Coordinates of all heavy atoms in Angstrom, one line a residue:
I8 N 91.5 92.1 73.2 CA 91.1 93.5 73.2 C 92.4 94.3 73.4 O 93.1 94.2 74.3 CB 90.1 93.9 74.4 CG1 88.8 93.0 74.2 CG2 89.8 95.3 74.4 CD1 87.8 93.3 75.3
G9 N 92.6 95.3 72.5 CA 93.7 96.1 72.5 C 93.4 97.6 72.1 O 92.2 97.9 72.1
G10 N 94.3 98.4 71.8 CA 94.1 99.8 71.5 C 93.6 100.5 72.7 O 93.6 100.0 73.8
A11 N 93.2 101.7 72.5 CA 92.7 102.6 73.6 C 91.5 102.1 74.3 O 91.3 102.3 75.5 CB 92.5 104.0 73.1
M12 N 90.7 101.3 73.6 CA 89.5 100.7 74.2 C 89.9 99.7 75.3 O 89.1 99.5 76.2 CB 88.6 100.0 73.2 CG 89.1 98.8 72.5 SD 87.9 98.2 71.2 CE 86.6 97.6 72.3
S13 N 91.0 99.1 75.2 CA 91.4 98.2 76.3 C 91.7 99.0 77.6 O 91.7 98.4 78.7 CB 92.7 97.4 76.0 OG 93.8 98.3 75.8
N14 N 92.0 100.2 77.5 CA 92.2 101.0 78.7 C 91.0 101.0 79.6 O 91.0 101.0 80.9 CB 92.6 102.5 78.4 CG 93.8 102.6 77.6 OD1 94.7 101.8 77.6 ND2 93.9 103.7 76.8
T15 N 89.8 101.1 79.0 CA 88.5 101.2 79.7 C 88.4 99.8 80.4 O 88.0 99.8 81.6 CB 87.4 101.4 78.8 OG1 87.6 102.8 78.2 CG2 86.0 101.5 79.6
F16 N 88.7 98.7 79.8 CA 88.5 97.4 80.4 C 89.5 97.2 81.6 O 89.2 96.7 82.6 CB 88.7 96.3 79.3 CG 87.5 96.1 78.5 CD1 87.3 96.8 77.3 CD2 86.6 95.1 78.8 CE1 86.2 96.6 76.6 CE2 85.5 94.9 78.1 CZ 85.3 95.7 76.9
L17 N 90.8 97.7 81.4 CA 91.8 97.6 82.4 C 91.4 98.4 83.6 O 91.6 98.0 84.8 CB 93.2 98.0 81.9 CG 93.7 97.0 80.8 CD1 95.0 97.6 80.1 CD2 94.1 95.7 81.5
Q18 N 90.9 99.6 83.3 CA 90.4 100.4 84.5 C 89.2 99.7 85.2 O 89.1 99.8 86.4 CB 89.9 101.8 83.9 CG 89.5 102.9 84.9 CD 90.7 103.7 85.4 OE1 91.8 103.6 84.8 NE2 90.4 104.6 86.3
A19 N 88.4 99.1 84.4 CA 87.2 98.4 85.0 C 87.6 97.3 85.9 O 86.9 96.9 86.8 CB 86.3 97.9 83.8
V20 N 88.8 96.6 85.7 CA 89.2 95.6 86.6 C 90.1 96.0 87.7 O 90.6 95.2 88.5 CB 89.9 94.4 85.8 CG1 89.0 93.8 84.7 CG2 91.2 95.0 85.1
G21 N 90.2 97.4 87.8 CA 90.9 97.9 89.0 C 92.3 98.6 88.7 O 92.8 99.0 89.7
Y22 N 92.7 98.6 87.5 CA 94.0 99.3 87.3 C 93.8 100.8 87.1 O 92.8 101.3 86.7 CB 94.6 98.8 86.0 CG 95.0 97.3 86.0 CD1 95.5 96.7 84.8 CD2 94.9 96.5 87.1 CE1 95.9 95.4 84.7 CE2 95.2 95.2 87.1 CZ 95.7 94.6 85.9 OH 96.0 93.3 85.9
D23 N 94.8 101.5 87.6 CA 94.8 103.0 87.4 C 95.6 103.3 86.1 O 96.8 103.1 86.0 CB 95.5 103.7 88.6 CG 95.5 105.2 88.5 OD1 95.1 105.7 87.5 OD2 96.0 105.8 89.5
M24 N 94.8 103.7 85.0 CA 95.4 103.9 83.8 C 95.9 105.3 83.5 O 96.2 105.7 82.5 CB 94.4 103.6 82.7 CG 93.9 102.1 82.7 SD 95.3 101.0 82.6 CE 95.8 101.2 80.9
K25 N 96.0 106.1 84.7 CA 96.6 107.4 84.7 C 96.0 108.3 83.6 O 94.8 108.5 83.6 CB 98.1 107.3 84.5 CG 98.8 106.5 85.6 CD 98.5 107.1 87.0 CE 99.4 106.6 88.1 NZ 99.3 105.1 88.3
N26 N 96.8 108.8 82.6 CA 96.3 109.8 81.7 C 95.7 109.2 80.4 O 95.4 109.8 79.4 CB 97.4 110.8 81.3 CG 97.6 111.8 82.4 OD1 97.1 111.7 83.4 ND2 98.4 112.8 82.0
S27 N 95.6 107.8 80.4 CA 95.1 107.1 79.2 C 93.7 107.4 78.9 O 93.0 107.8 79.8 CB 95.3 105.6 79.5 OG 96.6 105.2 79.8
L28 N 93.4 107.3 77.6 CA 92.0 107.5 77.2 C 91.1 106.5 77.8 O 91.3 105.3 77.6 CB 91.9 107.4 75.7 CG 90.5 107.7 75.1 CD1 90.0 109.0 75.3 CD2 90.5 107.4 73.5
I29 N 90.1 107.0 78.6 CA 89.1 106.1 79.3 C 87.7 106.6 79.0 O 87.5 107.8 79.0 CB 89.4 106.2 80.9 CG1 90.8 105.7 81.2 CG2 88.3 105.3 81.6 CD1 91.1 104.3 81.0
E30 N 86.8 105.7 78.9 CA 85.4 106.1 78.9 C 84.8 105.6 80.1 O 84.3 104.5 80.4 CB 84.7 105.3 77.6 CG 85.1 105.8 76.2 CD 84.5 105.1 75.2 OE1 85.0 103.9 74.8 OE2 83.4 105.5 74.6
E31 N 84.8 106.6 81.0 CA 84.3 106.4 82.4 C 82.9 105.9 82.5 O 82.6 105.1 83.4 CB 84.5 107.8 83.2 CG 85.9 108.2 83.4 CD 86.6 107.5 84.5 OE1 86.0 106.8 85.2 OE2 87.8 107.8 84.6
N32 N 82.1 106.4 81.6 CA 80.6 106.0 81.6 C 80.4 104.5 81.2 O 79.3 104.1 81.3 CB 79.8 107.0 80.8 CG 80.2 106.9 79.3 OD1 81.4 106.9 79.0 ND2 79.3 107.0 78.5
L33 N 81.5 103.9 80.7 CA 81.2 102.5 80.2 C 82.0 101.5 81.0 O 82.2 100.3 80.6 CB 81.7 102.5 78.7 CG 80.8 103.2 77.7 CD1 81.4 103.0 76.3 CD2 79.4 102.7 77.7
L34 N 82.5 101.9 82.2 CA 83.2 101.0 83.1 C 82.3 99.8 83.5 O 82.8 98.6 83.4 CB 83.8 101.7 84.3 CG 84.9 102.7 84.0 CD1 85.3 103.4 85.3 CD2 86.1 102.0 83.4
E35 N 81.1 100.0 83.8 CA 80.2 99.0 84.3 C 79.9 98.0 83.1 O 79.7 96.9 83.2 CB 79.0 99.6 84.9 CG 78.1 98.5 85.6 CD 78.9 97.7 86.6 OE1 79.7 98.3 87.4 OE2 78.7 96.5 86.7

């Protein structure tokens, strides 16, 4: 998994992705 969609997965495992594009509603 790469691209901006990987930001959501990285955020989901506990990383702070700062200003990266994140889909907060899909973390779970």
Side-chain angles (χ1 to χ4, degrees):
I8 300 177
M12 64 181 294
S13 66
N14 299 334
T15 299
F16 281 87
L17 291 168
Q18 186 91 2
V20 298
Y22 295 177
D23 183 354
M24 299 304 291
K25 299 301 192 295
N26 283 10
S27 304
L28 179 63
I29 301 287
E30 291 178 275
E31 296 281 352
N32 61 318
L33 292 178
L34 292 175
E35 190 55 40

